[in-house]
Amino acid sequence: MTKTIFTLLFCSFNLISLSAQVTVSGKVTDDKNQPLPFASIALLAAQDSQIVKGALSDSLGAFSIPGVRAGEYRLQATLLGYETSYTEPFTVAAGSKTVSADIALRQADNILTEAVVVAKRPLFEQKADRLIMNVENSPIASGGTALEILQKMPGVIVVQDRVTLAGNQSVQIWIDGKPSQYADMNAVLRDMPGDQIDRVELITQPGARYDAAGGVILNIILKRNADLGFNGNAAMTVGGATYDQSDAITDDRTYYRLSPSLGLNYRRGQWNLFGSYSYFQRTSFSVMDVERFIGDEVYRQINYSPSYWAIHNYRFGADFFATKKTTVGVLFRGFSRTGNSNAQNVTEVFNGDQSQQLGAFTTWNDTRSDRTNFLTNLNLKHEFDPKTGHALNFDVDYSRFDIHNVSYLNIVQNEPGSPESRSEQNVEQPIDIYVGKLDYTLPFDSTFKLETGVKSSFATIDNDLKFLRGTVLDTAQSNDFLYRENINAGYLNLSKKLGKFDFNAGLRAEQTVVSGKTMGEQVLDRNYLQWFPSASALYNVTKNIGIQGAYSRRVNRPGFQQQNPFAFFIDSLTYTQGNPQLRPEISNNAQLSVTYDGQPFFRISYSKTDDVIIENAPRLEGTRTFTTAANLAKYEKWAFELNFPIKYKKLIDGFGGNQFIYNGYDAEYLDTRFNRSRWNWLAYWQINVNLPAEFKVEIGGWYMTKFLEEFFDIGSMGGLNFGVSKTFWDKRGRLSLSVSDILYTQISKIHIDYADVLVNFNQRNDSRNARLTFSYRFGNTELKNARRRSTGSENESSRVKVE
């Protein structure tokens, strides 16, 4: 399908070129009739002055703009040290072959003897409502996955493939300004090549215009080339790693990754066409060492799970600039992922003091998964007054996920002639999402603005699990769970500037209607309305120092899979099970921060959450340990954050930071009170070294002391990363080498000791790897006219796990 799409795009480009053969040419001179080389020439539509095409004058001041359609135009010429000049409107007739139009520039009154302007985005930028991490040109980011890049944001860590921020698990992952509620975003992040990412935004206190679900927001902004004319970017990443896996009882040692990508953009007249494609192929592994204490016996397990992924990502669409104020756009995006893992779990059973082995058995779990997604979006934006921001934006979306997972479990005692126990878990999960969204912005004056909007989303998720023992269907373990959800929302937000103060306040209302049926029986039926106020204020103490305070009320609704009552086996002794009786958790969040020169300096944040959904509440059932989600606790979190710049002349720049974090839980579970809290320290740093000959070096890392997450006591962990890059060919080409987790310290060491559950386990994966990336920009990169669009429905995809 992708080949067909790009073939059609290229054919369209060729047809357009063939149908427009008129060439506009001329010469640029000064007021003394001397030629001016390297002046920027723009061909403008006479009616609305919209840029159609562009060119540069050569060393003799001559320029040529081929492929111009019939119509009314004028020329604009600009050059440093000269005043901008325009020609009178002229006509390009359909039968013409060439049109001549010379243009003269007058020297500006105020001229600098020499001006050198170098524009460079810093790694971090602190805005009024968000912290931005610019990763487009980061050597460490090159060739990595989105999940690996997110770990470079201050305070973000990944534990068991879950993204957390300063101990907060209610982190919303957004793409291009919208979250995704019904897909496992952690799986999406593992599959997304980092070279597609332009920047990451951290929004700690979302206002009323944002969906109320979740806590802080990590917004991933994808690259979008908006240069005029035809241009693009191609890249190739190769990488891999070698490990000593003798402790995992395997001879496997080497793992690799491969990722080519291509992005194209074509802008002509009122049309902008764009498309991108990437392929990501990777082998990976996970090793888990588990020690369970059950009664008078000890179960020791070594689980080695190698995996293979192949992922196709595509994105294409068009923007039509109907008028200077109105734009209509259509977007198509999706992915196709296939993969398999062949886990081997060796379990040895010992007596209480582990002096005698009582038995042993091996479990093989061969899992094959196919996942596809297709999203289409129609967008209409009308700017009543582009200068003031008076605008109306409308989105309508449809998204479809198709998920198929098959797990083959084979258990055998480690004795000759022992019988095998075979079972199969087969999951079919189609997901349909429809979303409509309308936003309106009305500025009363340059200091006072109103924002309002409405949104409705509808989701249908069908989870059909068939559990077979041998070849016989086990109806007790099989399940068909049909889930429907409708969320209707409206918001009002006001912002006002008053002297040195910036104020922002809003109110959002959301109605949630959910239902769930298991094998035709109603197990979930809810309809409730919730209100979510928010407010923030920024005071500019001086030109350099600002103080900001913010408050927001947020909700974390139960995820689809958390409410699904079926049991899913990970191995013969471990499974997970959903809970349809879950209630949404509500959190109240506040923060006070100080900024210096627009950079984050000091922040205190506090949150209190009621009806906390404990994701992994452990329970013992005979010799099996299973986890389920439950509303168990009240949760408090304090975080004290201190950041500082690292800079030495023009050679070195970067940042460092610390966070002191308090997590406290108060819960009743298994007839026992869980009242635990812990302080921990998180440190992070990033250093950039700018070397001669367009070389750049980055060194970054983080370290966190022991911390508490729900019932898990997690040991200290950290990571050290290195990257080096060089640009060449007039900065069109770039070669990057990066190494992640050099010391291999991103290993989870977890201890659970609660009621009758006592478990220790260590988990590691291929976090240490090296990657080599080459990228090249081609086509026109002189004139820009950007428009970044995001869909209205990606809000609806982060609450379903598919792996």
Side-chain angles (χ1 to χ4, degrees):
M1 177 179 178
T2 306
K3 289 183 178 179
T4 302
I5 292 165
F6 281 105
T7 300
L8 290 174
L9 283 174
F10 276 113
C11 289
S12 299
F13 299 155
N14 291 333
L15 287 174
I16 291 171
S17 298
L18 290 173
S19 63
Q21 299 295 328
V22 182
T23 298
V24 175
S25 60
K27 190 174 182 180
V28 184
T29 59
D30 61 14
D31 50 7
K32 296 180 181 179
N33 203 31
Q34 295 299 310
L36 291 177
F38 312 119
S40 294
I41 311 299
L43 181 68
L44 309 178
Q47 182 179 3
D48 55 11
S49 296
Q50 184 169 297
I51 297 177
V52 178
K53 301 190 73 172
L56 285 176
S57 61
D58 60 18
S59 59
L60 299 177
F63 66 89
S64 178
I65 304 176
V68 179
R69 291 183 174 181
E72 294 288 328
Y73 301 97
R74 63 193 307 197
L75 289 175
Q76 176 197 62
T78 57
L79 184 64
L80 184 64
Y82 292 83
E83 296 180 357
T84 300
S85 181
Y86 298 86
T87 67
E88 293 297 323
F90 57 87
T91 301
V92 173
S96 304
K97 290 187 178 181
T98 62
V99 173
S100 297
D102 295 335
I103 188 167
L105 295 180
R106 189 176 68 177
Q107 197 169 35
D109 293 334
N110 297 317
I111 304 175
L112 295 176
T113 56
E114 183 179 7
V116 178
V117 180
V118 179
K120 177 185 175 184
R121 293 192 300 175
L123 180 63
F124 288 95
E125 296 178 87
Q126 178 66 63
K127 302 297 185 181
D129 62 342
R130 69 195 63 197
L131 173 64
I132 300 173
M133 179 173 68
N134 297 301
V135 299
E136 180 181 12
N137 296 312
S138 167
I140 291 180
S142 295
T145 66
L147 193 64
E148 292 165 335
I149 289 176
L150 283 183
Q151 295 180 65
K152 306 179 197 322
M153 177 69 77
V156 174
I157 63 170
V158 176
V159 179
Q160 294 182 286
D161 282 340
R162 295 180 59 200
V163 177
T164 66
L165 178 71
N168 188 343
Q169 300 178 53
S170 299
V171 177
Q172 293 287 294
I173 307 297
W174 290 22
I175 298 176
D176 276 344
K178 305 295 176 183
S180 293
Q181 279 179 219
Y182 300 105
D184 183 356
M185 285 306 298
N186 293 317
V188 173
L189 296 177
R190 289 195 303 269
D191 296 346
M192 180 185 293
D195 291 309
Q196 295 184 2
I197 299 175
D198 178 72
R199 64 185 185 274
V200 180
E201 298 176 339
L202 171 60
I203 306 171
T204 56
Q205 293 287 337
R209 64 187 297 266
Y210 298 97
D211 283 1
V216 299
I217 295 170
L218 281 171
N219 183 25
I220 298 173
I221 305 296
L222 301 179
K223 292 179 181 178
R224 171 73 182 279
N225 195 335
D227 297 337
L228 294 177
F230 175 69
N231 47 74
N233 182 82
M236 169 66 79
T237 294
V238 295
T242 300
Y243 296 86
D244 179 3
Q245 301 283 44
S246 57
D247 63 330
I249 318 176
T250 178
D251 293 330
D252 295 347
R253 294 181 60 85
T254 303
Y255 306 85
Y256 74 91
R257 64 176 70 188
L258 173 71
S259 179
S261 63
L262 175 68
L264 299 174
N265 194 87
Y266 184 77
R267 171 71 192 272
R268 180 187 179 88
Q270 293 177 282
W271 286 94
N272 186 65
L273 306 177
F274 57 90
S276 64
Y277 167 79
S278 66
Y279 175 71
F280 188 35
Q281 182 174 298
R282 179 183 182 184
T283 58
S284 181
F285 75 87
S286 173
V287 173
M288 185 178 293
D289 182 356
V290 185
E291 190 176 44
R292 308 170 193 261
F293 298 86
I294 303 175
D296 295 329
E297 297 178 337
V298 179
Y299 289 74
R300 296 177 57 184
Q301 296 177 271
I302 295 291
N303 186 298
Y304 170 64
S305 179
S307 59
Y308 165 83
W309 309 338
I311 306 103
H312 301 267
N313 291 281
Y314 63 88
R315 182 175 186 265
F316 64 94
D319 293 323
F320 176 64
F321 303 92
T323 69
K324 191 175 182 179
K325 296 182 177 181
T326 304
T327 305
V328 181
V330 62
L331 172 68
F332 303 93
R333 191 181 68 206
F335 61 81
S336 173
R337 178 191 188 276
T338 59
N340 62 73
S341 64
N342 305 97
Q344 173 183 282
N345 188 308
V346 179
T347 304
E348 296 176 323
V349 186
F350 295 87
N351 61 352
D353 61 6
Q354 303 189 45
S355 62
Q356 181 181 358
Q357 184 171 326
L358 305 178
F361 59 92
T362 300
T363 303
W364 285 276
N365 186 344
D366 181 8
T367 301
R368 302 172 187 175
S369 64
D370 294 287
R371 185 172 74 240
T372 60
N373 167 243
F374 174 76
L375 175 142
T376 181
N377 160 258
L378 178 64
N379 169 263
L380 171 65
K381 182 175 183 179
H382 180 73
E383 297 178 293
F384 300 96
D385 188 344
K387 294 182 180 179
T388 63
H390 185 195
L392 181 71
N393 193 83
F394 174 69
D395 280 283
V396 59
D397 296 10
Y398 168 71
S399 184
R400 168 81 179 193
F401 291 85
D402 281 293
I403 302 163
H404 182 208
N405 286 337
V406 182
S407 296
Y408 301 94
L409 290 173
N410 183 16
I411 307 171
V412 60
Q413 298 292 326
N414 292 358
E415 297 178 2
S418 297
E420 295 184 0
S421 173
R422 295 181 177 273
S423 59
E424 175 185 333
Q425 296 178 111
N426 194 321
V427 179
E428 294 280 355
Q429 193 177 94
I431 303 173
D432 291 288
I433 305 168
Y434 299 87
V435 178
K437 185 171 180 283
L438 183 67
D439 298 285
Y440 176 67
T441 301
L442 175 63
F444 297 107
D445 56 43
S446 61
T447 66
F448 192 21
K449 181 175 66 175
L450 176 146
E451 296 173 286
T452 187
V454 293
K455 177 182 176 182
S456 287
S457 65
F458 300 85
T460 301
I461 308 173
D462 190 4
N463 189 99
D464 184 8
L465 167 68
K466 292 182 173 60
F467 191 97
L468 288 80
R469 297 190 183 277
T471 58
V472 179
L473 181 68
D474 185 339
T475 56
Q477 295 290 341
S478 298
N479 180 281
D480 188 5
F481 182 58
L482 180 63
Y483 178 85
R484 299 182 187 276
E485 180 181 85
N486 166 223
I487 299 177
N488 303 304
Y491 73 89
L492 180 68
N493 195 81
L494 294 171
S495 58
K496 173 69 177 177
K497 291 184 178 181
L498 189 62
K500 292 185 176 182
F501 283 94
D502 286 354
F503 297 99
N504 193 305
L507 181 64
R508 186 179 184 91
E510 293 190 352
Q511 178 198 27
T512 305
V513 183
V514 294
S515 65
K517 292 184 178 181
T518 298
M519 308 299 286
E521 179 183 353
Q522 192 86 30
V523 295
L524 179 62
D525 187 11
R526 290 204 181 108
N527 186 335
Y528 53 91
L529 177 68
Q530 295 171 304
W531 298 86
F532 302 97
S534 62
S536 67
L538 173 65
Y539 177 65
N540 298 298
V541 181
T542 68
K543 181 181 178 181
N544 303 105
I545 299 175
I547 299 176
Q548 183 203 33
Y551 164 80
S552 65
R553 186 173 188 261
R554 309 287 290 168
V555 64
N556 184 27
R557 299 185 184 89
F560 155 75
Q561 190 164 340
Q562 290 177 322
Q563 298 174 92
N564 191 346
F566 84 101
F568 191 88
F569 282 85
I570 301 170
D571 58 52
S572 59
L573 297 179
T574 313
Y575 69 93
T576 63
Q577 188 169 21
N579 177 8
Q581 303 307 314
L582 286 175
R583 301 180 304 277
E585 62 180 32
I586 300 293
S587 65
N588 291 279
N589 312 279
Q591 75 175 29
L592 179 67
S593 59
V594 179
T595 63
Y596 182 80
D597 280 346
Q599 302 294 306
F601 175 64
F602 179 71
R603 178 185 292 133
I604 301 175
S605 60
Y606 172 78
S607 68
K608 184 176 182 180
T609 307
D610 295 319
D611 282 334
V612 175
I613 299 175
I614 299 292
E615 174 76 16
N616 296 296
R619 186 186 295 266
L620 196 63
E621 185 182 76
T623 60
R624 291 174 174 171
T625 301
F626 76 93
T627 61
T628 186
N631 294 101
L632 296 178
K634 294 182 181 297
Y635 169 65
E636 280 189 297
K637 186 194 76 174
W638 284 92
F640 296 84
E641 178 181 344
L642 178 64
N643 299 299
F644 52 88
I646 299 174
K647 189 172 183 63
Y648 178 71
K649 298 183 178 179
K650 294 183 179 180
L651 179 65
I652 295 175
D653 65 85
F655 76 97
N658 299 265
Q659 290 187 18
F660 294 91
I661 305 163
Y662 169 86
N663 286 328
Y665 296 89
D666 186 2
E668 292 287 341
Y669 183 57
L670 300 180
D671 299 322
T672 304
R673 187 176 182 186
F674 179 75
N675 192 349
R676 295 276 307 281
S677 63
R678 181 188 287 274
W679 282 94
N680 68 281
W681 172 55
L682 171 64
Y684 40 84
W685 63 93
Q686 184 89 12
I687 299 173
N688 309 311
V689 183
N690 301 302
L691 299 176
E694 300 292 343
F695 276 98
K696 181 179 180 181
V697 173
E698 285 187 22
I699 302 174
W702 60 276
Y703 173 77
M704 186 161 66
T705 59
K706 293 180 180 180
F707 62 102
L708 178 68
E709 183 178 308
E710 298 182 352
F711 292 94
F712 295 172
D713 285 297
I714 304 175
S716 59
M717 57 195 305
L720 178 64
N721 309 309
F722 171 82
V724 59
S725 68
K726 176 176 171 54
T727 58
F728 43 89
W729 296 339
D730 196 25
K731 296 188 177 182
R732 289 177 176 263
R734 185 163 172 261
L735 187 66
S736 302
L737 174 66
S738 58
V739 183
S740 297
D741 195 14
I742 297 173
L743 304 178
Y744 202 33
T745 50
Q746 288 183 213
I747 300 175
S748 301
K749 299 178 181 179
I750 300 174
H751 174 69
I752 306 173
D753 186 1
Y754 183 75
D756 57 354
V757 179
L758 180 57
V759 179
N760 298 318
F761 64 90
N762 298 337
Q763 184 178 17
R764 62 181 177 87
N765 54 32
D766 62 331
S767 59
R768 184 190 64 209
N769 56 76
R771 307 177 300 272
L772 182 66
T773 301
F774 173 76
S775 62
Y776 180 72
R777 296 185 300 121
F778 54 89
N780 177 42
T781 58
E782 297 299 329
L783 296 174
K784 297 179 180 290
N785 195 340
R787 178 184 187 240
R788 181 174 296 280
R789 290 179 44 227
S790 58
T791 72
S793 73
E794 292 165 31
N795 283 337
E796 325 311 319
S797 302
S798 71
R799 306 208 315 271
V800 172
K801 296 180 180 178
V802 296
E803 291 190 333

